Structure formats: C-alpha cells, structure tokens
Amino acid sequence: MQYLDLSHNPLVELQAAPFQRLSQLCFLKATSCGLRVINPGVFVHTPKLKFLNISNNLLDYIPDLSLPLLKILDLAGNQYDSYQLPATFETLTNLSALYLGSENTLQVDFNDFDSLSDSSLHHLILGGGVEWQRYDRGSLTKMKSLQRITLKVPFCENLDLFENLLEDVNETQTTHLELVNVLPDLCNVTGDPFRNLRTMPLVTHLTIVNTWINSSFMMIFLKNVFLSNVRTIIFTNITYSEDTPEGFKFPTLNHTMVLRSLTFDGLKHHQYKYPSIEISVDMFSKMDYLKFSGTGMNTVPCNLISTLPSLETLDLSNNVLSDTGFWPSICSYTSVFPNLRHLSLSENRFVDLSFIAQQTHQMKYLESLDLSFNSIVLDKPCFWPIHITSLSLSNNNLGNKVFSFLSQYLQQIDLSKTGITTLTKEDLLQFPMLTHLFLSSNSIKVIPTDLSPTLVSLYIDQNYITSISRESLVGLPSLRTLKAGDNPFVCSCDSYWFINTMNKSLLPDWPLDYTCSTPPSVADLPMSEYRTSRMSCEAWLQAAVALPVTILIVLALCSAFYACDGVWYTKMLWVWIRVKRRGQKQANLLNNTTFRYHSFISYSHQDSAWVESKLVPSLEGAGLSLCIHERDFVPGQWIVDNIINCVEASYKTLFVLSNHFVQSEWCNYELFFAQHRAIDAQQDSLVFILLEPIPTNSLPKKFLKLRRLLMQQTYLEWPKDERKQQVFWVNLRSMLQVADHRILKDMALELTQSASLIPDDLVPLLNDDCCPK
C-alpha cells in the first residue's frame, strides 16, 4: 500500500503496530481525527513516506520525525504552544514544504527553526490566524533556502513585529511572499508598515489575501509596491473601505515601475457603492497582465481601453459588464487594447454575439476570447476577424446551430455545456485548422466517423455516449488527448475494443472516470475491471472456429441423407404424421361420404397436352366430375394441403404414368398421399394409366412403391390404335364409376351391347386390355 487516508476517523493515538506492514507507504493523511498522541515508533516502519498530513488535530506538541524522504509536512491546526522543532527534523533533508500553525502559539522564538538550518525547505506556511505577541529577530533567517513564505498572522496591533519580520525575509532567498489576513476587518493602520518592500530586491511576487484595506492605506501600500522590485501583485478577497472624502487618488510618480501583473480577485466594497478611483493609467504602461474579477465592475474606463500599450492579457470575469459596458458609446479612442492577446469576459452579462464579433475587429492582435457563463444569443450572422483562433462559449444555451456562427479560422473551440445534442462531420468541415475541441457536459450520443483530421484534443466527457468505436477514432488521426469519462457506457461487445485494445495513453481520465452504466449486472463497475472474452465479441473469430465444424457436420449429414434419400423420407414422414393425425375417425369416410369429384387427375405438367386434349374432354363429356390441379387447387393454400384435400374429395385418384411422371417430385407426393388414403379407408381408389412404356428397373428409388403397385395393381395402357382407344375410354369411364377393378371382367357384356361404339371384331380385345401387367 502506498496511499492511506485516515481522515475524519476517531483516532486518539497512532500506534506503531498497524504500520509494521506498510513499508511501501508514500502518502499518509490523518486530518480531523482528534489525534493527541503519535507513538515514536510509527514512522520507523514507513521509511519511504513522502507526504504526511496530520493537520487539524489535538496534538499539543510537534512530534519527533525521522523521515529522510519526506517532502511535504502539514502540522497546522493543532494545539501546540510553541514552534520549537524537534532535533530529529535535522534528518528531513528533502523537506520542501512545511505547514505550521496553532491558535495557542503567540510567539516565535529565536531557536524555533534551528533544526532546519541545513534543510532544503523552499516553502514555509506559518501562523494559526492569531496575532503574535513576540517575534525574535533572526528567527526566519536561519532557513536560507526559503523561496516562498505564507504568513497567516494578523498584525494590526503589532505592526512593528511585521516590519521586523520583513527584514528577516529579506535575508532569505524568498521571492514569493503571501500575507493572509495581515490586516483584519476594521483595522485602522497608522504609519507605513510596508516601507521595507522598497529594500527587498528578491521579492517579486506579493499576494494579499482576506485583508481589510482602507483607501488611505491603499495609497501608502501601492506607493511602496510601485517603488519596489515587485513585478506581480495579487489581491484576493479584499474588503475595500473608502475612508477619504475624495476617494482613492494616487499621485503620479516619477519612477519607472517594474510592475507587470496586477490582480484583484474578489473585491468587496464596504460602503456598498462604487469607489472613486483616480490614478494615471500611464503608470501601468509596461503592464502585460491585468485582472479585475469579482469586483462589481459594470463599465470599462475609456482611458483603460486605449492607453495600455503593453497589455497582453485582460481578465474581467465575474463582473456585471454588458455589451455596451465594455464598449461604451461615449468613449472615443484611436486604438482599442493595441497589444491585447487574451481577453476573458466570462461570467458577465454579454448577449449579442454578432455585436461582439464586430467589435473584436478593433483589437488587431486578439487571439483568444472567453465568453463563457454569459447570456449569449444567436440571432444574427457573425463576422469574426481572422486573428481570433481561440473562442470559449461554454455554459451558454446555444444548441446545435452554434457551429454556423463561428469563425472558420478557429483552432480552439470550447462549447462545453451549451445544449448540443448532435455532433456531425459537417459541423466541423468549416474549421480546417481546428485542433482543440471541448464539448463536455452536453447531450451528444455518438462520436461520428471521419470527424476531423486535424483535431489533436477532444473533450467529450459527461455526455450520453454509450460506446466509442474503432471507426470513430480512425477518423481522428492526429488525436493525442481524448477525455470521455463520466458517460453512460454500455459494457458489452460494443465496448470490447475500447476497453481492451485502445491506447489508454490518449485518456487523461482513465480509469477513474470510466464506469459501466448498463447492463444492470455490471452497473457502477469500473470499465478497467470489466472482462469479456475475445471469442464472444469478435464475429470473424467465431466464424473462423464455427465454419469448419459446421461444414464438416453439414457434409456428413448431406452424405448420409444422399445415401439414404433422407430428405425425401423426412418430408414424407412429416406429411405422413399430418395425414395420420386425422385418425381412425376417417377410416370409413369413403363409405359414408358423398364425394365432390369422381377422380383426381395426377399427371406431369409435361403431359398436360394429352390430358387437356384427350383425357378431360372424354371423361367430362361422359358426365364425370374431375379435379385438375391447374384448375381446382385453392389459390394461396399450401400445395401439399391442396393435394390432400383433392385426394380426399375424390372417389378415385387417376395417375397418368409416363417417364415425365416418375421424374416429378409433386407427382410422387400425390401418389404417396393417395396410397395412404386408400390404406386408411380400406378402399381400392387408385387408377393407373400407362401413357408410355416405363421399364420397372429404371424407376427412381422414390418410386419403389409404384413398381410394386404396377406389379400388383390393374392399370390401363394408352393404345396408339384409334379403335383400341375407343375401348380404352369405355374401360376407363367404367373404372371411375365402380369401386373394384374386378368388375372390369363383367363389363364385356355391356360392351357387346355398345355396337354403335365398338365393332364386333374388337370385343375379344377387352379382356386382353384389362389384364394385370
């Protein structure tokens, strides 16, 4: 374990035993635990500790520490009454930042920091927010390596201590000095406690935090700053009180200032009115950074717009500026921020984007513009200057149409939380130089393919994206950073490539911000812990394994089916089952039913000419009712059902046998159904006409039953002789009107009486044509 946070747990004492197995511990935090005692042996077992934070506890002493790798130590907010450091601190040779502060410590003694005289301490944060009663000169000078000092000590009643402290700071290497609450509320300063700043050449950065400043003191303070070597001054959370009737009037100094950066971040006006400030802007001619944020500014002074020739960055965020407040119509000027590169107007009241775009043409060198957190409206076309390459419109309700209001020359666009629901390739085609795109906190569902070949950085976190495909990133060949966390990802095969194959060095927020949203079984599971097999997700791999096996099985089955005519018998088995379902209740159907047809004609369509020209006219001309599939099958009904229905509705089934017949699968079906009907009903309902000779040994395997039937059953041959054909028709008509073939022999008497149809010399032929073949 390398990281351990015990904060906000009730721990009165840290004992050595729990740390015996934490030899790799690098980070330990135990704040707000109520600690009173730290066992000396605790840190013997953690030699690699680099960060230790035991602030805001109840320690009444500064504990002994022997941690040669320790870099950051926070002991602030405890109950010790002295800043005297133990001798073991001499071993903290790598210590770079030390936090010390207690409400009970009211003085700094000369020997308090002796053990750090040879340390590499760079940053000291000292003080518990209470005013000191004594400070011994020379106490801080022993830490020669100090570069940053933060003092959390008010000095309203003891400004002499503050002056002594500044003299000691000047003897260190300190370049950054931060004073927190140095002057508490309603503090009335007399004298000039900051005059030592003029003689401190190393201090270049000065920060004043949470401080009360009167207008009278501000003039004294700024005069010392302007006459010092301070290049950067920052005021944070300042309460300004105007205690002079004429307001703030700063005299002109005949001195070249080195001040380059001025920041007011959070300015409260004690009188609840706008202050009166009179200062020559010419004094800031070399300033390149200016920030007035959270000051309540609602208009920009006219001279500020045109008389800061070196200003490169202007931050006026978190004010109440509007379109006309930043560009007042009453101002007349020849140039507008002549060297400005970066302008932030975030968190104001700007509305008209078209007006803003037009006004920025006056800023000839402006490169980036921040209009986030405003009330921007898109109602008119925007004409942007070509020199603006970075634009932020985040946190404005703009929608999908926003892209058509932007400059084609933009290289960086921030449209986070702007109500975008769809992102298309066409949206970005108009930005050929776009490299950075920020679309966080929108409602985008898909990253389209071929989005932008120039895009280097894409932030699309906190949207509605469920998966990121390989194809979408192929369309981003220049991409180096992709932030896509906090999306409702679906952990399935759609995310397999993203989880297992994608280069995670592109994702600065991986794996912390990537969790599964669905399916419910893995909801809230970190995507880095989701596991699925490649076989189950790669279709080509599944095919590569399954295809050979399937082919072998199919080949084996096909071979067996071919050898055993399995397809045919499978179909027949299924149909036979359907026929058998009709059950025994149909066994006597033929005897008890009046049939619709005398005969159902089964023939090959290649024999249809003979059937239609000879068979049908002859039989129907004799008053017989025939069922022919081309005429009597019910349209839309399954063919097999039509066959079964016609066979059952016919007294006889007449088969026109030929070489074409035995090659027809449907003819075989009809023979099969008719034969089963004859068996079930115990009737001889099959009639065969042999249209042409068929050698029995040439019949296909499917017609083996037909071979047996032809050897056992009576059939008629179609004669070529016309005289015999007349006998053929008489015989056939008679067979369709009688139930048993044996009656054919008794028909000779009937035929002899048909002298008008049959000549006398043909009567002996009747018996020959009706005998079994």
Side-chain angles (χ1 to χ4, degrees), residues 270-506:
H270 180 64
Q271 280 82 15
Y272 294 99
K273 68 174 185 178
Y274 288 108
S276 175
I277 299 176
E278 185 177 330
I279 188 171
S280 175
V281 181
D282 295 334
M283 297 175 60
F284 304 94
S285 60
K286 294 186 178 181
M287 186 180 298
D288 55 27
Y289 182 92
L290 178 60
K291 179 177 181 179
F292 282 94
S293 178
T295 64
M297 179 185 292
N298 65 352
T299 185
V300 176
C302 295
N303 55 355
L304 183 66
I305 296 177
S306 59
T307 55
L308 291 176
S310 300
L311 190 65
E312 295 184 0
T313 301
L314 176 60
D315 186 347
L316 299 178
S317 60
N318 193 21
N319 286 295
V320 289
L321 290 168
S322 62
D323 301 334
T324 56
F326 186 76
W327 287 281
S329 58
I330 61 174
C331 294
S332 60
Y333 35 74
T334 56
S335 62
V336 177
F337 299 114
N339 201 42
L340 192 65
R341 288 336 192 242
H342 310 286
L343 175 60
S344 176
L345 300 176
S346 175
E347 298 181 80
N348 279 280
R349 300 178 181 179
F350 292 93
V351 175
D352 193 342
L353 188 63
S354 177
F355 173 78
I356 297 172
Q358 186 62 39
Q359 293 298 112
T360 55
H361 281 269
Q362 304 175 42
M363 305 175 189
K364 302 300 182 182
Y365 297 98
L366 187 63
E367 298 174 359
S368 68
L369 175 61
D370 186 355
L371 292 171
S372 59
F373 292 95
N374 278 280
S375 303
I376 300 298
V377 174
L378 307 175
D379 57 353
K380 291 177 289 186
C382 298
F383 301 97
W384 295 92
I386 63 174
H387 47 75
I388 294 183
T389 59
S390 176
L391 177 63
S392 175
L393 292 171
S394 65
N395 291 274
N396 286 280
N397 189 18
L398 304 176
N400 296 331
K401 63 180 179 179
V402 62
F403 294 100
S404 61
F405 291 84
L406 305 183
S407 169
Q408 61 178 326
Y409 302 101
L410 289 175
Q411 299 176 15
Q412 178 171 311
I413 303 176
D414 188 351
L415 295 174
S416 300
K417 204 170 185 180
T418 52
I420 297 175
T421 59
T422 304
L423 178 66
T424 65
K425 176 183 177 181
E426 290 70 23
D427 290 332
L428 301 188
L429 282 178
Q430 58 183 310
F431 308 110
M433 296 181 288
L434 184 63
T435 57
H436 297 77
L437 180 60
F438 300 87
L439 296 170
S440 305
S441 302
N442 281 293
S443 302
I444 299 170
K445 298 180 180 179
V446 177
I447 302 177
T449 57
D450 300 326
L451 187 59
S452 173
T454 60
L455 208 57
V456 174
S457 177
L458 175 61
Y459 281 53
I460 200 162
D461 53 307
Q462 299 183 54
N463 277 271
Y464 292 155
I465 295 172
T466 58
S467 64
I468 298 176
S469 66
R470 187 200 312 261
E471 292 74 18
S472 62
L473 293 191
V474 169
L476 298 168
S478 303
L479 193 66
R480 296 295 176 267
T481 302
L482 174 63
K483 188 176 182 182
D486 296 315
N487 275 292
F489 289 105
V490 176
C491 288
S492 63
C493 287
D494 291 339
S495 299
Y496 177 82
W497 173 85
F498 177 75
I499 296 174
N500 296 281
T501 308
M502 180 185 170
N503 181 12
K504 299 303 185 299
S505 64
L506 298 177

Side-chain angles (χ1 to χ4, degrees), residues 13-267:
E13 179 181 0
L14 282 185
Q15 298 181 350
F19 291 87
Q20 291 180 355
R21 297 183 180 181
L22 300 178
S23 60
Q24 302 299 316
L25 191 65
C26 294
F27 181 103
L28 175 60
K29 184 178 180 181
T31 65
S32 304
C33 295
L35 276 176
R36 295 180 179 273
V37 179
I38 296 180
N39 191 294
V42 168
F43 302 111
V44 173
H45 307 291
T46 58
K48 296 184 178 181
L49 199 64
K50 296 181 180 180
F51 180 97
L52 176 60
N53 185 352
I54 49 177
S55 62
N56 300 314
N57 283 292
L58 301 176
L59 295 171
D60 57 6
Y61 65 97
I62 297 178
D64 287 310
L65 297 173
S66 181
L67 295 166
L69 298 181
L70 192 66
K71 292 185 176 182
I72 299 176
L73 174 61
D74 191 348
L75 297 170
N78 279 281
Q79 302 297 317
Y80 43 81
D81 57 6
S82 171
Y83 290 131
Q84 178 72 49
L85 300 178
T88 54
F89 273 49
E90 293 180 354
T91 63
L92 307 181
T93 55
N94 288 298
L95 191 64
S96 63
L98 174 62
Y99 295 74
L100 290 174
S102 171
E103 294 180 348
N104 298 331
T105 305
L106 304 179
Q107 75 282 331
V108 176
D109 296 327
F110 181 76
N111 297 321
D112 283 350
F113 305 111
D114 285 353
S115 57
L116 293 179
S117 58
D118 295 326
S119 71
S120 59
L121 187 66
H122 291 161
H123 189 189
L124 175 64
I125 300 92
L126 184 62
V130 295
E131 195 159 355
W132 291 341
Q133 297 178 357
R134 189 180 83 248
Y135 171 78
D136 290 346
R137 287 285 305 275
S139 299
L140 295 180
T141 59
K142 299 176 182 180
M143 295 176 284
K144 299 294 184 181
S145 61
L146 279 179
Q147 297 178 7
R148 300 174 62 97
I149 296 179
T150 299
L151 293 176
K152 298 182 177 181
V153 183
F155 289 98
C156 187
E157 302 297 331
N158 295 289
L159 291 175
D160 291 341
L161 295 183
F162 179 69
E163 294 183 38
N164 294 336
L165 190 145
L166 288 183
E167 291 180 5
D168 281 359
V169 170
N170 194 33
E171 295 185 25
T172 65
Q173 302 297 315
T174 301
T175 59
H176 292 66
L177 178 60
E178 181 177 354
L179 303 174
V180 180
N181 197 26
V182 62
L183 300 175
D185 290 352
L186 304 177
C187 179
N188 186 19
V189 179
T190 59
D192 188 2
F194 284 89
R195 61 176 175 269
N196 287 333
L197 281 176
R198 304 182 188 185
T199 59
M200 300 174 66
L202 296 181
V203 177
T204 59
H205 291 71
L206 178 61
T207 302
I208 309 295
V209 182
N210 297 336
T211 296
W212 170 284
I213 297 182
N214 295 327
S215 57
S216 57
F217 173 73
M218 178 66 82
M219 286 187 285
I220 298 173
F221 174 75
L222 288 182
K223 184 177 180 180
N224 290 317
V225 170
F226 293 162
L227 295 176
S228 71
N229 202 38
V230 174
R231 294 175 175 271
T232 300
I233 183 168
I234 301 173
F235 293 95
T236 302
N237 294 330
I238 301 300
T239 301
Y240 177 77
S241 174
E242 205 165 74
D243 61 346
T244 52
E246 68 279 6
F248 179 82
K249 286 188 177 183
F250 194 82
T252 303
L253 299 176
N254 293 323
H255 177 77
T256 303
M257 289 194 306
V258 297
L259 188 66
R260 296 292 182 270
S261 174
L262 175 61
T263 297
F264 283 91
D265 191 358
L267 180 61

Side-chain angles (χ1 to χ4, degrees), residues 442-700:
N442 281 293
S443 302
I444 299 170
K445 298 180 180 179
V446 177
I447 302 177
T449 57
D450 300 326
L451 187 59
S452 173
T454 60
L455 208 57
V456 174
S457 177
L458 175 61
Y459 281 53
I460 200 162
D461 53 307
Q462 299 183 54
N463 277 271
Y464 292 155
I465 295 172
T466 58
S467 64
I468 298 176
S469 66
R470 187 200 312 261
E471 292 74 18
S472 62
L473 293 191
V474 169
L476 298 168
S478 303
L479 193 66
R480 296 295 176 267
T481 302
L482 174 63
K483 188 176 182 182
D486 296 315
N487 275 292
F489 289 105
V490 176
C491 288
S492 63
C493 287
D494 291 339
S495 299
Y496 177 82
W497 173 85
F498 177 75
I499 296 174
N500 296 281
T501 308
M502 180 185 170
N503 181 12
K504 299 303 185 299
S505 64
L506 298 177
L507 307 176
D509 50 350
W510 176 271
L512 186 61
D513 295 336
Y514 294 81
T515 57
C516 299
S517 177
T518 55
S521 59
V522 294
D524 298 325
L525 178 72
M527 293 185 73
S528 57
E529 299 179 11
Y530 177 75
R531 298 290 181 267
T532 186
S533 65
R534 185 181 181 187
M535 175 73 74
S536 63
C537 293
E538 297 285 358
W540 68 269
L541 190 58
Q542 296 174 8
V545 174
L547 188 59
V549 176
T550 304
I551 291 175
L552 291 176
I553 294 175
V554 170
L555 288 176
L557 291 176
C558 290
S559 300
F561 273 30
Y562 179 78
C564 303
D565 201 15
V567 176
W568 161 253
Y569 284 107
T570 301
K571 291 180 180 179
M572 291 300 102
L573 175 62
W574 179 73
V575 174
W576 180 80
I577 292 174
R578 292 189 61 195
V579 174
K580 292 296 290 182
R581 282 170 48 190
R582 296 180 177 158
Q584 191 61 35
K585 64 181 181 179
Q586 295 183 353
N588 299 318
L589 184 61
L590 295 176
N591 296 328
N592 302 323
T593 304
T594 301
F595 295 99
R596 182 178 179 185
Y597 305 103
H598 286 87
S599 177
F600 169 66
I601 310 299
S602 174
Y603 62 94
S604 170
H605 72 281
Q606 293 178 325
D607 299 324
S608 60
W610 181 85
V611 172
E612 295 171 0
S613 63
K614 297 184 179 297
L615 180 64
V616 174
S618 297
L619 297 181
E620 289 187 341
L624 297 177
S625 177
L626 302 180
C627 180
I628 303 171
H629 69 84
E630 292 180 351
R631 183 183 66 190
D632 300 308
F633 273 13
V634 178
Q637 195 176 66
W638 190 40
I639 295 178
V640 173
D641 285 336
N642 267 315
I643 295 174
I644 295 174
N645 293 336
C646 288
V647 168
E648 291 181 346
S650 302
Y651 184 64
K652 298 280 187 178
T653 302
L654 175 61
F655 295 92
V656 181
L657 303 180
S658 67
N659 287 310
H660 299 306
F661 182 97
V662 297
Q663 299 300 324
S664 172
E665 188 171 3
W666 287 115
C667 292
N668 191 25
Y669 290 159
E670 294 167 353
L671 175 62
F672 178 85
F673 301 146
Q675 184 187 17
H676 277 278
R677 180 249 188 165
I679 294 173
D680 290 344
Q682 298 180 357
Q683 291 288 331
D684 186 5
S685 60
L686 306 181
V687 179
F688 297 96
I689 295 176
L690 193 60
L691 195 59
E692 59 186 3
I694 304 176
T696 55
N697 58 1
S698 67
L699 292 174

